Amino acid sequence: MRTTTLATTTLTAAVFTLPAGVQAQSGAVMIELPRVSDPNYRKPYLAAWLEDANGKALAVSAVLHDQSRIGSRWLSELRTWWRKSGRDMTMPADGISAPTRPAGRHTIEIKGLGGLGDGTYSLVVEAAREKAGREVVKVPVVIRGGEVRAASAQGHRELGRVRVSPKA
């Protein structure tokens, strides 16, 4: 009992002594999926991941797809994500994969920020629909003093506004 109490106290002290920058490095991405007037409309598959300045994938934040066994075969339609890191992932991935979403605004936590230092990174969002379009939007993720700075980019057809912000 005493050992458990001591370990808990040590862990609690370690959490409170972490630098503020490490604790502050969390962010969210708001993704708008536009309404498309098409009688054969299907909700898009979507992948969101973090890249360094050289374009190397650092962490995958989300993969929204048809979660059935048959639906997994279409993941490669998210071509950019698939080539960077998707083919090496096993789906479903706990905490990352989720069902497709309808038109509207959706917020996703940006994963992988905790160990990053100050600098400029990119959050890449790719959307693809069956027998339809595909689009990739990159949003700069600037970290200064351990804080994520807000930024946004605009898609044209498959994606609307994609906005990165500090996690509230």
Side-chain angles (χ1 to χ4, degrees), residues 61-124:
S61 292
V63 179
L64 309 181
H65 65 100
D66 179 355
Q67 305 245 291
S68 70
R69 184 180 61 80
I70 295 170
S72 294
R73 82 176 213 191
W74 299 107
L75 283 171
S76 61
E77 291 301 309
L78 295 165
R79 292 190 297 252
T80 305
W81 167 76
W82 185 255
R83 289 180 188 130
K84 293 218 178 227
S85 63
R87 71 178 77 184
D88 298 328
M89 292 184 70
T90 301
M91 289 294 173
D94 194 27
I96 294 173
S97 57
T100 57
R101 307 278 168 84
R105 291 182 177 158
H106 306 282
T107 302
I108 298 168
E109 177 185 352
I110 302 173
K111 296 181 176 30
L113 293 175
L116 298 179
D118 286 0
T120 302
Y121 305 89
S122 293
L123 182 84
V124 184

Side-chain angles (χ1 to χ4, degrees), residues 123-127 135-139 152-156 159-160 162:
L123 182 84
V124 184
V125 178
E126 181 176 20
E135 187 169 18
V136 177
V137 172
K138 284 189 176 189
V139 181
S152 66
Q154 181 68 42
H156 300 290
L159 292 166
V162 178

